[in-house]
Amino acid sequence: MTLGCALSGLVPNATDPARRTVAVMGTWLHAEVAAPGGPSASAALEAAIAEVERMDALLGTWDPSAPLSRANRAPVGTPTPVPAEAAALLAEARGWAARTGGAFEPALGALVDAWGLRGGGRIPDADELALALRRVGAGAVRVDPDAATLTRLQDGAWVDTGGFGKGAALRSAADTLRARGVSRAFLDLGGQVLVLAAPGEAPWRVAVAHPALRQDTATLLLLRDVSAATSGNSERGSSVGGTAVGHILDPRGGAPAPWWGSVTVVSADPFVADVLSTALYVLGPEAGLAWARDLPDVGVLFLVETSDGLEAVHNQAMERWLDAPPPSAGTSHSRPERRLP
Ligand code: ADP
Ligand code: MG
């Protein structure tokens, strides 16, 4: 009998986890709360789901009536009030633009439009691309967290929260669960997971998919009290006239980041995991690993497709999360296995 069995709820008893799957943020949220058990687990589950739905409404840029959608359409040069929480998260996200050398940049709406990423994809000509690039980054949009305003500084400029919205939502959901005394939970929001497991509880076993063969498991992670986000450019990438147009853009040169595999980031802060998975995909395995090598608390795993197969490289902080090779005794198989894309 392993610890994992009893605590993960595989044994039917009064502490069975509460589970629910809902459509939110343009994807699926699968949520499972295993403690404190009974009715309070259900209440905590509903509160966590409500929190993700609240963040969707707060940060969404698809629904034309959402606050950020309105600000994204406001006249150039006019500070537009947005919810203070949205302004703070946008400012936090923009802070990562500088730290990642522009690899992560939420003010990149002009490029999203140029490549038609919200439609079927298109290829901009050189002039269009140059124009769009001038409408991206610090000179495109001003976020004032103190005044809680967003100001568009250029025609065609707008903020896209797609690179950090899921992380922001999972961070809020984690706070909600912890405030309710939950120590064990698993949330999967469109491929980014949040796992809570108190010291002494079994970790969650999470499978990282092969970046090209999504049904195959490339690596197994053993996670507790962290979030793991994976970014890759194949899943939602479309092809226009033979050119791959992936959904992750390189804001420095303006083109979709080329396909090379996937990167998985593990952090105690779901927001950081989300931001850095996108940023490190843009940087690519070499520059990305150099950038992430010495991060003390953030695990980074690159899965790189080579002519010889899949090459896995990771920083030192990732080592504590990598599952050991399966032991001869069958203990590891009794833990639930979840998947990252
Ligand atoms: P997913 O949304 O598939 O989990 P990511 O977390 O990597 O993947 O976010 C990709 C989304 O982020 C894109 O759909 C787009 O909305 C936005 N985005 C694309 N490129 C960048 C970038 N370089 N920096 C910030 N956001 C980006
Ligand atoms: Mg991201």
Side-chain angles (χ1 to χ4, degrees):
M1 185 65 195
T2 67
L3 195 62
C5 230
L7 288 172
S8 64
L10 294 179
V11 180
N13 57 32
T15 58
D16 266 2
R19 291 194 181 93
R20 201 148 79 86
T21 298
V22 296
V24 64
M25 286 196 155
T27 184
W28 293 102
L29 167 66
H30 166 77
E32 178 171 331
V33 173
S40 53
S42 303
L45 172 79
E46 294 310 317
I49 291 172
E51 193 54 21
V52 174
E53 287 170 340
R54 189 181 73 80
M55 294 303 273
D56 189 11
L58 183 80
L59 293 176
T61 58
W62 286 82
D63 174 357
S65 64
L68 288 188
S69 303
R70 289 173 187 275
N72 271 339
R73 294 194 303 267
V76 170
T78 307
T80 307
V82 293
E85 193 179 358
L89 288 166
L90 269 175
E92 185 178 354
R94 282 235 65 257
W96 285 99
R99 295 179 66 181
T100 60
F104 185 84
E105 177 51 79
L108 88 173
L111 279 176
V112 171
D113 288 339
W115 290 95
L117 294 191
R118 291 198 164 186
R122 61 187 287 277
I123 310 286
D125 65 30
D127 289 347
E128 268 182 289
L129 194 57
L131 182 64
L133 262 178
R134 287 200 291 276
R135 298 169 163 177
V136 165
V141 161
R142 184 166 53 234
V143 181
D144 184 339
D146 298 324
T149 56
L150 181 68
T151 311
R152 297 171 63 231
L153 302 175
Q154 312 237 14
D155 247 352
W158 54 277
V159 294
D160 180 352
T161 54
F164 67 93
K166 289 191 232 171
L170 287 178
R171 178 161 76 187
S172 255
D175 291 346
T176 298
L177 290 170
R178 290 195 180 103
R180 287 169 172 263
V182 170
S183 67
R184 189 162 186 85
F186 183 97
L187 271 63
D188 178 349
L189 179 55
Q192 178 169 354
V193 300
L194 166 77
V195 296
L196 301 190
E201 290 182 348
W204 292 90
R205 196 162 197 238
V206 177
V208 180
H210 187 295
L213 311 167
R214 301 279 171 146
Q215 296 314 308
D216 292 359
T217 294
T219 312
L220 288 166
L221 307 178
L222 285 178
L223 304 177
R224 60 167 72 248
D225 264 1
V226 286
S227 181
T230 295
S231 287
N233 231 353
S234 69
E235 193 177 35
R236 285 195 277 127
S238 40
S239 170
V240 180
T243 302
V245 182
H247 71 297
I248 299 176
L249 297 167
D250 185 344
R252 301 166 304 175
W259 156 256
W260 52 262
S262 72
V263 57
T264 296
V265 177
V266 178
S267 168
D269 184 344
F271 188 93
V272 171
D274 196 5
V275 163
L276 290 187
S277 70
T278 307
L280 291 171
Y281 189 84
V282 171
L283 289 174
E286 269 176 41
L289 188 63
W291 191 89
R293 195 182 301 279
D294 300 324
L295 288 178
D297 303 319
V298 179
V300 176
L301 168 71
F302 294 91
L303 296 177
V304 187
E305 242 199 345
T306 70
S307 47
D308 298 333
L310 202 59
E311 192 192 342
V313 286
H314 58 81
N315 70 350
Q316 207 191 339
M318 194 70 188
E319 265 159 39
R320 61 187 286 219
W321 307 117
L322 296 173
D323 197 5
S328 46
T331 51
S332 65
H333 300 289
S334 59
R335 286 181 291 238
E337 194 171 297
R338 309 307 162 108
R339 294 186 67 78
L340 280 169

